């Protein structure tokens, strides 16, 4: 599995710890920024990583900022992406199993490093279960397609 990972300056330390954790687990990833000491607009990082996931260059993505909220909002603007804020084990599991989220977002100002690593492990180990959630995710994608068509972007 290949992961796209990115952060803004508010979450560089957490991203660095997650990357070390991925290295220890042998998970391949590409860092989309920011670098230590670099000030960026988190939407720029989120869009780059989400586009790479949407194009199929990466199976999943991990985005971190102060709260995870801004990264999720931005990543969800990229057609085909489902990004979820995950700050507890249940949300990390359900993001994958129920919502088929390809991108998890976390906040350095909200959770600690050890919890973040635990959530990454849960999220990476889960697959979309379909079942009763299948039609719901399909409907999400139908609405997305409908709105893109209305905007003249098939």
């Amino acid at each position: 599995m290949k992961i796209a990972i990115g952060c803004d300056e508010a979450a560089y330390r957490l991203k660095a710890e997650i990357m070390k954790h991925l290295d220890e687990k042998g998970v391949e990833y590409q860092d989309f920024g920011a670098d230590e000491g670099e000030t960026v607009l988190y939407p720029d990082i989120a869009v780059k990583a989400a586009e790479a996931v949407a194009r199929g260059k990466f199976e999943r993505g991990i985005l971190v900022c102060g709260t995870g909220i801004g990264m999720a909002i931005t990543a969800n603007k990229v057609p085909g992406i489902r990004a979820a804020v995950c700050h507890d084990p249940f949300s990390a599991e359900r993001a994958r199993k129920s919502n088929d989220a390809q991108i998890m977002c976390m906040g350095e100002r909200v959770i600690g490093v050890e919890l973040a690593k635990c959530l990454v492990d849960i999220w990476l180990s889960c697959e979309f279960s379909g079942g009763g959630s299948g039609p719901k995710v399909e409907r999400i994608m139908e609405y997305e397609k409908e709105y893109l068509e209305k905007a003249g972007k098939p």
Side-chain angles (χ1 to χ4, degrees):
M1 180 179 309
K2 290 171 41 176
I3 306 293
I5 190 166
C7 72
D8 65 0
E9 66 276 3
Y12 175 79
R13 290 179 314 143
L14 183 59
K15 182 189 72 171
E17 291 295 330
I18 292 169
M19 290 190 308
K20 280 195 266 185
H21 185 65
L22 294 173
D23 286 337
E24 291 168 2
K25 299 183 93 32
V27 176
E28 186 178 346
Y29 61 86
Q30 180 177 330
D31 184 1
F32 283 78
D35 294 325
E36 186 173 15
E38 179 182 19
T39 301
V40 298
L41 297 174
Y42 66 76
D44 297 337
I45 302 298
V47 164
K48 287 178 195 172
E51 284 178 344
V53 172
R55 287 193 307 265
K57 291 184 175 185
F58 299 88
E59 287 83 4
R60 298 193 196 167
I62 299 172
L63 297 171
V64 289
C65 62
T67 63
I69 297 167
M71 286 288 200
I73 290 169
T74 305
N76 280 316
K77 301 295 183 192
V78 175
I81 290 298
R82 288 171 306 284
V85 177
C86 302
H87 287 151
D88 61 82
F90 188 71
S91 63
E93 177 186 311
R94 298 325 305 173
R96 283 294 307 139
K97 287 186 173 183
S98 295
N99 301 111
D100 199 18
Q102 313 101 311
I103 297 178
M104 78 176 310
C105 302
M106 295 180 285
E108 181 173 315
R109 295 176 180 153
V110 180
I111 62 172
V113 171
E114 293 307 313
L115 178 56
K117 292 190 292 189
C118 173
L119 299 180
V120 166
D121 289 346
I122 291 168
W123 187 75
L124 290 176
S125 70
C126 291
E127 294 297 333
F128 180 53
S129 61
S133 295
K136 297 169 189 170
V137 172
E138 288 173 20
R139 182 59 57 91
I140 292 169
M141 301 313 292
E142 288 169 6
Y143 280 126
E144 179 179 83
K145 183 179 178 190
E146 177 185 326
Y147 279 92
L148 287 171
E149 288 172 355
K150 285 180 182 178
K153 301 172 186 173

